[in-house]
C-alpha cells in the first residue's frame, strides 16, 4: 500500500490469545485502518508485522498480556526493532457497554491506548538472564508447594494408620521420618491388605518428598548462580537474602532502564508514599499497588534490618521520637531500601552493558 500523508505514521494494537492474535492499526488521527487475525507462530508474527507496515511507518505497537500469550510476539517485535508498549488495563467500561466485546474491538482498544500512550507501560524484555531466573523460580515455587503437600499427606496418613505402624513414627523428626519411610520395603503384592497399603502409600509419599527436596536444592544452586552473576552486591547488603534479591531482580527485569528513576522503581514495588492527609493532619501511607511480591521482599529486608542493623534501629527510633508511628517509620525505611536496591541494580546493569560493548 502506497504511503500518503494520512497514513505515513501508524500505530498497532494486538489482542493476544493462545492460537490466534488479532491485530489492529490506527493512523495518526487515531482512526482505525483495519483489523486482521494471525496465527501465533513465527511466520504469523512476520505476516503481522508486514501487514502493519503496509499501512505506513509503524511507530509502536500496544500488546495485551505481553507476559503470557503475547511473550513470543513481544520478543519478535523487539528483535525487529519495533517499540512495544504493554496495555495494562481493560478497555473503557462505558465503551464496552455501548459497543459490546469481540477480539477486533479489543485489538482496536489496544491500538488506541498505544496511540495516546495512556494505560500503557514499557514491558520487561524476556531475552536475558532475568527471564531464566523467572522460569527457574516458577519451577521452584511449584516444587516447594508439591513437597509441602507430600509432607501434609504423610502426616495425615500416619494419623489414620494402624497402631502398629503409627506408634514407632510419632517421635521422629521430619527427616528421620522421611528417610525411615523411604527405606521401607513393603510387599507390593499384598496391596489388598490395609497395613501393607499404608506402607506402600507412605513409602511412595516419602520418596516423592525426597525427590522434590533434591530438585529444589538443584534449582536453588542455579538461582544463586544467576543472582551472583547479575548483582552480587545485593547479596552483600544487610538482611538481603537469596530469595529477596532474586525477586527484586525479577521486578526490575532484563531492561531496568525502562524505569525512569528510583521513584518509579519504588512505585513499582508498592513502597512509594501516598498522601493520606485530612484537615490539620498531614501524613502519608504505603502504596497498596505495585508488585506485591517485590513489596513482600522489601518488607522482609526491612524487618531483618530492624533486628540486625544498629543504623536502622536508630533511624526508626528517631522517626518514632519525631511523632511517627512504627508503621510510618517502617514505610519510610522501605522507601530507602528501594532506593538502595535500585542503585545497585542500575550500576550492575551499566557495568554489564559496558562489558558487552567492549567485547
Amino acid at each position: 500500500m502506497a504511503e500518503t500523508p494520512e497514513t505515513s505514521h501508524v500505530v498497532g494494537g494486538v489482542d493476544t490469545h493462545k492460537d490466534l492474535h488479532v491485530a489492529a492499526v490506527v493512523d495518526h488521527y487515531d482512526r482505525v485502518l483495519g483489523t486482521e487475525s494471525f496465527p501465533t507462530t513465527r511466520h504469523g508474527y512476520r505476516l503481522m508485522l508486514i501487514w502493519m507496515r503496509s499501512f505506513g511507518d509503524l511507530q509502536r505497537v500496544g500488546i495485551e498480556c505481553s507476559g503470557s500469550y503475547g511473550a513470543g510476539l513481544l520478543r519478535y517485535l523487539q528483535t525487529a526493532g519495533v517499540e512495544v508498549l504493554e496495555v495494562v488495563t481493560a478497555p473503557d467500561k462505558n465503551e464496552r457497554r455501548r459497543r459490546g466485546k469481540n477480539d477486533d474491538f479489543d485489538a482496536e482498544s489496544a491500538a488506541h491506548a498505544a496511540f495516546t500512550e495512556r494505560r500503557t507501560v514499557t514491558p520487561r524484555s524476556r531475552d536475558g538472564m532475568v527471564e531464566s531466573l523467572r522460569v527457574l523460580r516458577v519451577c521452584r515455587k511449584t516444587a516447594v508447594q508439591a513437597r509441602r503437600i507430600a509432607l501434609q499427606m504423610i502426616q495425615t496418613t500416619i494419623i489414620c494408620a494402624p497402631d502398629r505402624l503409627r506408634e514407632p513414627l510419632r517421635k521422629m523428626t521430619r527427616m528421620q521420618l522421611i528417610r525411615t519411610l523411604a527405606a521401607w520395603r513393603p510387599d507390593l503384592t499384598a496391596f489388598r491388605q490395609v497395613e501393607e497399603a499404608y506402607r506402600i502409600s507412605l513409602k511412595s509419599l516419602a520418596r516423592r518428598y525426597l525427590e522434590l527436596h533434591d530438585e529444589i536444592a538443584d534449582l536453588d544452586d542455579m538461582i544463586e548462580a544467576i543472582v551472583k552473576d547479575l548483582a552480587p552486591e545485593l547479596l552483600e547488603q544487610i538482611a538481603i537474602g537469596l530469595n529477596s534479591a532474586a525477586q527484586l531482580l525479577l521486578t526490575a527485569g532484563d531492561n531496568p532502564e525502562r524505569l525512569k528513576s528510583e521513584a518509579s522503581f519504588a512505585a513499582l514495588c508498592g513502597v512509594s508514599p501516598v498522601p493520606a492527609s485530612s484537615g490539620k493532619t498531614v501524613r502519608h501511607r504505603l502504596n497498596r499497588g505495585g508488585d506485591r511480591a517485590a513489596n513482600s521482599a522489601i518488607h522482609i529486608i526491612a524487618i531483618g534490618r530492624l533486628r540486625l542493623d544498629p543504623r536502622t534501629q536508630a533511624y526508626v527510633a528517631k522517626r518514632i521520637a519525631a511523632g511517627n508511628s512504627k508503621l510510618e517509620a517502617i514505610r519510610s525505611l522501605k522507601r530507602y531500601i528501594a532506593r538502595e536496591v535500585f542503585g545497585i541494580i542500575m550500576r550492575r546493569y551499566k557495568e554489564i552493558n559496558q562489558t558487552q560493548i567492549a567485547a
Side-chain angles (χ1 to χ4, degrees), residues 43-343:
H43 180 63
Y45 301 153
R46 185 175 68 84
L47 291 178
M48 180 189 295
L49 185 57
I50 292 173
W51 177 77
M52 287 183 175
R53 284 175 169 169
S54 70
F55 290 96
D57 181 19
L58 184 62
Q59 299 295 295
R60 55 188 171 273
V61 177
I63 298 179
E64 291 184 356
C65 304
S66 66
S68 53
Y69 288 142
L73 178 61
L74 170 66
R75 293 191 190 98
Y76 183 87
L77 292 178
Q78 288 179 332
T79 302
V82 178
E83 180 186 357
V84 180
L85 298 177
E86 180 174 2
V87 180
V88 297
T89 58
D92 183 77
K93 291 183 179 180
N94 291 329
E95 183 180 0
R96 174 165 289 184
R97 188 178 297 113
R98 177 174 56 85
R99 297 179 60 188
K101 180 196 181 302
N102 63 28
D103 293 340
D104 289 351
F105 292 163
D106 288 346
E108 292 169 10
S109 295
H112 293 316
F115 177 83
T116 59
E117 296 189 59
R118 297 179 61 187
R119 300 186 290 112
T120 60
V121 296
T122 303
R124 287 181 293 186
S125 61
R126 295 179 175 272
D127 55 0
M129 277 200 293
V130 173
E131 177 65 6
S132 302
L133 180 63
R134 185 189 70 82
V135 173
L136 293 174
R137 274 177 56 84
V138 169
C139 183
R140 182 189 184 278
K141 181 179 179 181
T142 57
V144 169
Q145 291 171 341
R147 183 180 64 176
R148 183 173 63 250
I149 291 171
L151 180 61
Q152 290 170 346
M153 288 297 298
I154 288 172
Q155 294 169 339
T156 303
T157 304
I158 289 174
I159 291 173
C160 303
D163 293 341
R164 199 157 66 110
L165 293 180
R166 185 174 68 247
E167 291 302 327
L169 304 175
R170 280 186 167 181
K171 296 182 180 181
M172 291 184 181
T173 64
R174 177 187 300 178
M175 291 312 297
Q176 283 177 336
L177 174 64
I178 297 297
R179 297 191 185 283
T180 298
L181 297 178
W184 277 0
R185 295 291 183 269
D187 183 359
L188 299 180
T189 62
F191 56 85
R192 292 179 178 84
Q193 300 175 14
V194 172
E195 187 172 316
E196 288 304 312
Y198 269 95
R199 287 180 178 274
I200 294 169
S201 177
L202 288 170
K203 177 183 172 66
S204 176
L205 290 168
R207 289 176 62 88
R208 184 184 308 170
Y209 181 97
L210 290 175
E211 289 171 1
L212 289 167
H213 189 76
D214 293 341
E215 179 183 332
I216 292 166
D218 292 339
L219 290 169
D220 281 338
D221 291 340
M222 299 176 200
I223 290 169
E224 182 177 6
I226 292 177
V227 172
K228 286 182 176 179
D229 286 344
L230 288 172
E233 191 179 344
L234 266 183
L235 296 177
E236 297 171 3
Q237 306 307 307
I238 297 174
I240 300 185
L242 180 62
N243 286 329
S244 296
Q247 179 56 57
L248 293 171
L249 286 170
L250 286 179
T251 301
D254 279 308
N255 52 337
E257 78 282 358
R258 77 189 194 282
L259 303 170
K260 305 304 181 184
S261 66
E262 50 88 16
S264 62
F265 178 73
L268 180 60
C269 294
V271 296
S272 56
V274 176
S277 303
S278 178
K280 295 182 180 180
T281 302
V282 179
R283 58 179 294 271
H284 292 79
R285 65 167 176 81
L286 273 176
N287 185 347
R288 296 188 180 93
D291 185 339
R292 304 316 295 172
N295 186 281
S296 175
I298 291 179
H299 184 77
I300 291 171
I301 295 169
I303 297 304
R305 290 189 176 183
L306 273 174
R307 295 174 179 172
L308 303 172
D309 186 16
R311 292 186 307 164
T312 300
Q313 294 167 357
Y315 170 78
V316 172
K318 178 181 177 182
R319 294 302 297 258
I320 293 175
N324 295 120
S325 68
K326 186 173 182 180
L327 286 177
E328 289 173 332
I330 291 175
R331 174 194 62 73
S332 300
L333 174 61
K334 291 167 74 172
R335 178 67 178 82
Y336 282 116
I337 292 172
R339 178 178 297 144
E340 173 189 322
V341 168
F342 183 72

